[in-house]
Amino acid sequence: MTDSSHVIESIITGLAATTPLEAASVVLGLAYSLLAIKRTRWCWVAGGLGSAILIYLALRARLPMQAALQGCYVVMSVYGFWHWSRKEREAALAVTTWPLRFHVAAWIAILIVSALTARWLAAQTQAAWPFLDSLSTWGSLFATWLVARVKLENWLYWIAIDSLLSYLFGVQGLYFVALLSTLYLVVSVVGFLRWLKTYRTPVPAS
């Protein structure tokens, strides 16, 4: 069997093995990203529901850390919906940016926390890529917070994270999940271009 045939077969197998709840979480995740591009607060409803489903699936699979991570996403979704609702009422849901020094400080913190988490994963679990796994997890949480704050750079974080996840899942032979990560990568590129256009468009004087 050629490598390409193996990849296609793995994707088909992954698709066939997807349960209705897993499929719903994927659809809601994509809905979250597409609605976030349009900067509508309902993206947080889709994201929160998708994460709530994943909490149940993670607990059923005895993955408490993944359940806790999805719980953080649910909390972030509540915050995002509240923050965007307030901004929409004020007609001020504008795309803004962060100073470079803030990003440098944030990534130093993410790298430190990821290194600490990776040490624990390496000692207590059979994680194949403990540091990169930790980095993508903490980076995702931070990127989600940037979305809630309507920061343009969030999409750049997601482009990097989705690229990393596509690679990690691919080398582990999880081609269907890698394909989904690649799909999210494309959505992130579109999101960045759309938000960049909005950011560069002058706000009409009232």
Side-chain angles (χ1 to χ4, degrees), residues 118-139:
R119 284 191 64 183
W120 181 85
L121 287 174
Q124 302 295 330
T125 72
Q126 298 296 319
W129 304 85
F131 179 73
L132 294 181
D133 192 13
S134 298
L135 185 65
S136 63
T137 297
W138 293 111

Side-chain angles (χ1 to χ4, degrees), residues 105-171:
W107 267 106
I108 290 174
I110 290 172
L111 288 171
I112 292 173
V113 175
S114 297
L116 294 174
T117 307
R119 284 191 64 183
W120 181 85
L121 287 174
Q124 302 295 330
T125 72
Q126 298 296 319
W129 304 85
F131 179 73
L132 294 181
D133 192 13
S134 298
L135 185 65
S136 63
T137 297
W138 293 111
S140 295
L141 285 173
F142 180 64
T144 303
W145 184 80
L146 288 179
V147 177
R149 302 299 300 177
V150 204
K151 299 301 180 183
L152 173 65
E153 299 92 336
N154 91 83
W155 296 110
L156 297 178
Y157 283 84
W158 283 121
I159 289 171
I161 292 166
D162 291 331
S163 299
L164 174 59
L165 291 176
S166 296
Y167 169 76
L168 290 179
F169 290 131
V171 297

Side-chain angles (χ1 to χ4, degrees), residues 38-120:
K38 296 182 178 181
R39 290 181 297 143
T40 169
R41 60 181 173 173
W42 299 109
C43 72
W44 298 108
V45 175
L49 289 174
S51 293
I53 292 174
L54 290 173
I55 290 174
Y56 169 74
L57 294 175
L59 290 175
R60 193 175 67 177
R62 298 180 180 179
L63 297 171
M65 293 302 295
Q66 282 298 315
L69 173 63
Q70 296 303 323
C72 291
Y73 285 136
V74 171
V75 173
M76 195 73 70
S77 295
V78 173
Y79 170 75
F81 184 82
W82 169 80
H83 185 68
W84 284 29
S85 296
R86 183 168 61 89
K87 289 295 184 180
E88 284 182 355
R89 286 195 297 270
E90 297 172 357
L93 193 59
V95 177
T96 58
T97 60
W98 249 20
L100 179 60
R101 64 181 184 278
F102 287 3
H103 290 288
V104 172
W107 267 106
I108 290 174
I110 290 172
L111 288 171
I112 292 173
V113 175
S114 297
L116 294 174
T117 307
R119 284 191 64 183
W120 181 85

